[in-house]
């Protein structure tokens, strides 16, 4: 995990802080996850620890980060952020609400996306672009698109508070950077609205970050 954290930190905006879990790992008062199995509880605790590290990087006092009714983290009033965990890694980002309407982070092992998921994740034009790649790269590029869409979804959620499918967004790449374009309106976000993103990759993980700035 240190490698993907370092790679991601190098491409994040200077006013966005990245956090990783740090001991002691424990729930804080107000951070409840009723009925969670041990593995899910461990992910939750690690994610909250990473989020507090990111908040401290902003110079904010770290406190409890409860889960809302929609299961999204309830960040302190002054901050917004995103948490992501997968097998073997957990990271969080945080920024000030005066600068950002929403942030999104997603992180996955660098493994080909199963082909039976492609039709739900990829738009036709994305599928066409992947079909033109060498076979060994196709599943990995599908994974990168999946992670980028997840990051964009998380970044927009504080604005729309709506759930939508992967066909809503189209990912346009420029090297490590990308744009997530809304192919349909999701009020108050209009069709063709763009969310900017960046990515980081190691031998073991792929991460994507998106931000919706104020103004």
């Amino acid at each position: 995990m240190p490698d993907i954290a370092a790679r991601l930190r190098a491409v994040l905006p200077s006013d966005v802080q990245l956090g990783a879990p740090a001991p002691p790992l424990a729930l804080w008062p107000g951070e409840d996850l009723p009925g969670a199995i041990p593995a899910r509880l461990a992910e939750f605790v690690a994610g909250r620890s990473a989020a507090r590290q990111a908040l401290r990087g902003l110079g904010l006092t770290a406190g409890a980060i409860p889960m809302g009714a929609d299961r999204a983290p309830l960040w302190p009033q002054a901050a917004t952020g995103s948490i992501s965990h997968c097998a073997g890694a957990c990271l969080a980002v945080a920024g000030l609400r005066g600068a950002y309407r929403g942030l999104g982070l997603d992180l996955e092992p660098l493994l080909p996306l199963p082909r039976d998921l492609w039709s739900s994740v990829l738009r036709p034009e994305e599928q066409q672009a992947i079909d033109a790649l060498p076979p060994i790269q196709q599943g990995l590029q599908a994974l990168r698109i999946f992670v980028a869409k997840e990051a964009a979804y998380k970044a927009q959620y504080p604005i729309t508070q709506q759930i939508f499918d992967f066909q809503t967004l189209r990912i346009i790449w420029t090297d490590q950077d990308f744009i997530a374009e809304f192919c349909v309106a999701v009020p108050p976000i209009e069709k063709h609205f763009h969310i900017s993103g960046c990515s980081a990759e190691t031998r073991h993980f792929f991460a994507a970050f998106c931000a919706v700035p104020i103004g």
Side-chain angles (χ1 to χ4, degrees), residues 130-146:
I130 282 179
D131 288 342
L133 295 175
I136 194 172
Q137 285 293 325
Q138 291 179 357
L140 292 176
Q141 188 62 12
L143 172 84
R144 295 182 186 106
I145 292 172
F146 169 78

Side-chain angles (χ1 to χ4, degrees), residues 82-170:
S82 182
I83 301 169
S84 186
H85 40 68
C86 67
C90 176
L91 295 170
V93 289
L96 296 176
R97 285 193 190 274
Y100 295 100
R101 300 174 69 189
L103 301 178
L105 175 67
D106 198 56
L107 174 68
E108 293 291 341
L110 186 61
L111 298 170
L113 188 73
R115 198 173 187 96
D116 61 356
L117 297 179
W118 289 17
S119 61
S120 63
V121 171
L122 304 174
R123 291 181 53 81
E125 61 270 29
E126 294 168 334
Q127 176 72 66
Q128 185 176 15
I130 282 179
D131 288 342
L133 295 175
I136 194 172
Q137 285 293 325
Q138 291 179 357
L140 292 176
Q141 188 62 12
L143 172 84
R144 295 182 186 106
I145 292 172
F146 169 78
V147 174
K149 289 188 179 187
E150 286 281 355
Y153 172 81
K154 292 179 180 180
Q156 67 79 44
Y157 185 77
I159 303 167
T160 69
Q161 295 189 333
Q162 293 191 48
I163 297 172
F164 52 74
D165 63 28
F166 289 106
Q167 303 299 312
T168 301
L169 298 172
R170 177 167 71 107

Side-chain angles (χ1 to χ4, degrees), residues 147-197:
V147 174
K149 289 188 179 187
E150 286 281 355
Y153 172 81
K154 292 179 180 180
Q156 67 79 44
Y157 185 77
I159 303 167
T160 69
Q161 295 189 333
Q162 293 191 48
I163 297 172
F164 52 74
D165 63 28
F166 289 106
Q167 303 299 312
T168 301
L169 298 172
R170 177 167 71 107
I171 302 298
I172 305 166
W173 295 96
T174 307
D175 296 324
Q176 285 184 296
D177 296 334
F178 62 90
I179 289 171
E181 179 186 15
F182 279 76
C183 297
V184 297
V186 183
I189 291 179
E190 298 179 349
K191 184 179 180 180
H192 301 311
F193 182 79
H194 286 178
I195 297 177
S196 296

Side-chain angles (χ1 to χ4, degrees), residues 51-65:
R52 276 188 278 277
Q53 290 296 104
L55 291 171
R56 291 186 184 102
L58 291 174
L60 300 176
T61 300
I65 305 173

